[in-house]
């Protein structure tokens, strides 16, 4: 269940950020160029996934694989957790895809648009880069979650659910929703990925967790407590004016 949750939330949030960029291109320039750029990025990411996933799972022995997977998830998880702690403590601006959407539109308005009969390479490049960068991170996270024994199916289920929901939101809303608690969701993803990373890295180093897979819940609880203490400590040290400016 934790694998499904971690994959679904991580993929959904990355896709939501990509969606903000693609929608900004589509609404500010031409929908055709936004779609072409996004599809090119999808093809690129699909080719990368076909190479990275099977190569990692089939060519690496189980113990080194667990250590590699654990290290990768720890790097992703701790980075997500670090940013979420700073945001919740008021030391960093809250995550906001709608704001990113508006900023991207403003940037595109400043670029000279080509005639209607010519390809808008700037729009295609921006859409491609927005989808490709987030897509690579999605591939690495899902591959790492899927690489553990029994992790392939739940990781793919979580990713598929996130993909379907994000595409549906894009088709219905035509712009990122403003009330999605992105900071809190990224905080949860950071906790889940960090817990998995610590668990897998420990297995790769030969640690036998006393509670088996249930140790993941204990690790998540430890990281939750530690992170909340950090948020409270940093929040008290932050001037009230600074908190109000970045919330």
């Amino acid at each position: 269940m934790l694998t499904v949750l971690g994959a679904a939330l991580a993929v959904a949030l990355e896709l939501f950020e990509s969606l903000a960029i693609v929608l900004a291109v589509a609404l500010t320039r031409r929908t055709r160029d936004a779609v072409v750029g996004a599809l090119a990025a999808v093809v690129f990411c699909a080719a990368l996934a076909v190479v990275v996933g099977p190569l990692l799972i089939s060519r690496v022995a189980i113990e080194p694989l667990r250590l590699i997977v654990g290290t990768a998830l720890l790097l992703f998880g701790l980075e997500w957790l670090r940013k979420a702690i700073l945001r919740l403590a008021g030391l960093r601006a809250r995550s906001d895809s709608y704001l990113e959407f508006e900023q991207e539109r403003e940037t595109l308005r400043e670029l000279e648009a080509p005639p209607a009969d010519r390809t808008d390479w700037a729009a295609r490049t921006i859409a491609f880069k927005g989808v490709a960068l987030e897509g690579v991170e999605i591939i690495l996270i899902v591959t790492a979650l899927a690489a553990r024994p029994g992790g392939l199916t739940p990781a793919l289920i979580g990713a598929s659910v996130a993909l379907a929901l994000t595409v549906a939101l894009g088709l219905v809303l035509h712009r990122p929703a403003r009330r999605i608690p992105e900071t809190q969701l990224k905080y949860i993803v950071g906790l889940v990925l960090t817990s998995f990373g610590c668990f897998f890295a420990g297995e790769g180093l030969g640690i036998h967790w006393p509670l088996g897979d249930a140790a993941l819940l204990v690790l998540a609880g430890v990281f939750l407590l530690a992170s909340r203490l950090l948020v409270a400590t940093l929040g008290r040290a932050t001037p009230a004016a600074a908190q109000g400016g970045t919330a």
Side-chain angles (χ1 to χ4, degrees), residues 37 70 80 100 103 109 126 155 167 173 177 200 226:
W80 284 53
E100 184 178 356
Q103 290 174 340
R109 289 191 185 100
I126 291 172
V167 171
L173 299 178
F200 295 157

Side-chain angles (χ1 to χ4, degrees), residues 74-160:
L74 266 177
L75 291 174
F76 281 115
L78 289 173
E79 180 63 13
W80 284 53
L81 202 53
R82 180 186 70 83
K83 291 180 180 178
I85 288 171
L86 292 175
R87 286 166 178 149
L88 291 172
L91 295 172
R92 186 184 179 117
R94 295 294 181 104
S95 183
D96 189 344
S97 290
Y98 185 83
L99 178 60
E100 184 178 356
F101 165 79
E102 291 294 345
Q103 290 174 340
E104 200 66 53
R105 292 192 70 182
E106 189 63 32
T107 299
L108 287 163
R109 289 191 185 100
E110 295 175 358
L111 298 175
E112 184 179 353
D117 59 342
R118 292 188 180 181
T119 300
D120 191 344
W121 288 109
R124 293 188 181 189
T125 301
I126 291 172
F128 176 88
K129 186 168 66 173
V131 174
L133 290 177
E134 305 297 342
V136 169
E137 190 166 348
I138 287 172
I139 290 168
L140 294 175
I141 291 174
V142 173
T143 299
L145 290 172
R148 68 183 295 260
L152 179 60
T153 299
L156 291 179
I157 289 174
S160 299

